[in-house]
Amino acid sequence: MRTRLLAALLTGSAVLTACGSDADKPITDAQRQWVDAVCGGVAPGAKAGAELRKQDPADPAAVKTAYVGLVTSNATAFADAEKKLKDLGAPESDLDGVHERFVKFVEESAKSYEAAQAPVQALAPDAQFWENAEKVLADTNVVTTPEDLRATFQELEKRPKYADALGRSQTCDGLRGTGL
């Protein structure tokens, strides 16, 4: 009796170990592409934002050039990320919610920045440029849940294989030190 119980426990243990969870498996190429698409949506804007912060406020023309670069970078990067993420789908079934929230975030962000491009470009490069550009962005913003960006990265960082993928991704390099 004891031998059969032990054999049953060992067999059950072997089956559970063989199945494992998706979190225990190495990251697949499709999952790596998904991570790159997530970072590709936000890294160009983070880089453009860093460039904007370097500008001397006493030089409104340089500020405008950098600001237009930020708006354009974000419009393009978010639209590209939206398409890629929709094509790829969620990297794992238990990340469906994270995927859906992030796709919604990049979709709304792309629309917001696209709508801001022409009005920001039309602004005069004067001492009020920054304030006026910020007003344009606020007026064109349709992002309903901006916290989804940070929540996406926090959820991924909780998962060792995704945290590792974020750390190894060249696409994600533009996010280092941005607080995401």
Side-chain angles (χ1 to χ4, degrees), residues 156-168:
L156 295 176
E157 288 172 347
K158 290 179 194 174
R159 299 163 183 258
K161 73 179 177 184
Y162 288 100
D164 183 58
L166 287 168
R168 292 177 186 260

Side-chain angles (χ1 to χ4, degrees), residues 4-160:
R4 279 190 284 175
L5 181 58
L6 182 58
L9 287 173
L10 289 175
T11 302
S13 175
V15 168
L16 288 176
T17 303
C19 292
S21 72
D22 282 343
D24 296 335
K25 296 177 183 172
I27 196 159
T28 66
D29 187 52
Q31 291 166 335
R32 192 175 337 281
Q33 288 176 27
W34 187 86
V35 168
D36 286 344
V38 166
C39 290
V42 293
K47 183 178 177 184
E51 188 61 35
L52 177 61
R53 287 186 297 276
K54 291 179 188 175
Q55 300 307 311
D56 180 358
D59 185 357
V63 170
K64 179 177 179 176
T65 299
Y67 207 101
V68 168
L70 170 74
V71 171
T72 303
S73 291
N74 277 332
T76 301
F78 285 130
D80 289 349
E82 175 189 1
K83 182 184 179 335
K84 288 176 186 173
L85 290 168
K86 284 181 175 179
D87 289 347
L88 289 167
E92 293 181 22
S93 61
D94 66 331
L95 287 174
D96 282 343
V98 170
H99 174 77
E100 289 171 16
R101 286 190 312 270
F102 193 71
V103 167
K104 180 180 175 186
F105 172 81
V106 295
E107 179 181 26
E108 291 173 345
S109 295
K111 288 177 185 175
S112 298
Y113 283 105
E114 177 67 32
Q117 284 181 310
V120 168
Q121 184 65 43
L123 294 172
D126 56 22
Q128 280 71 45
F129 173 80
W130 192 299
E131 181 180 316
N132 293 336
E134 290 291 304
K135 183 176 180 341
V136 167
L137 282 182
D139 291 347
T140 61
N141 184 21
V142 295
V143 177
T144 55
T145 53
E147 63 278 357
D148 283 349
L149 177 60
R150 184 173 303 276
T152 297
F153 284 96
Q154 288 173 340
E155 180 65 29
L156 295 176
E157 288 172 347
K158 290 179 194 174
R159 299 163 183 258

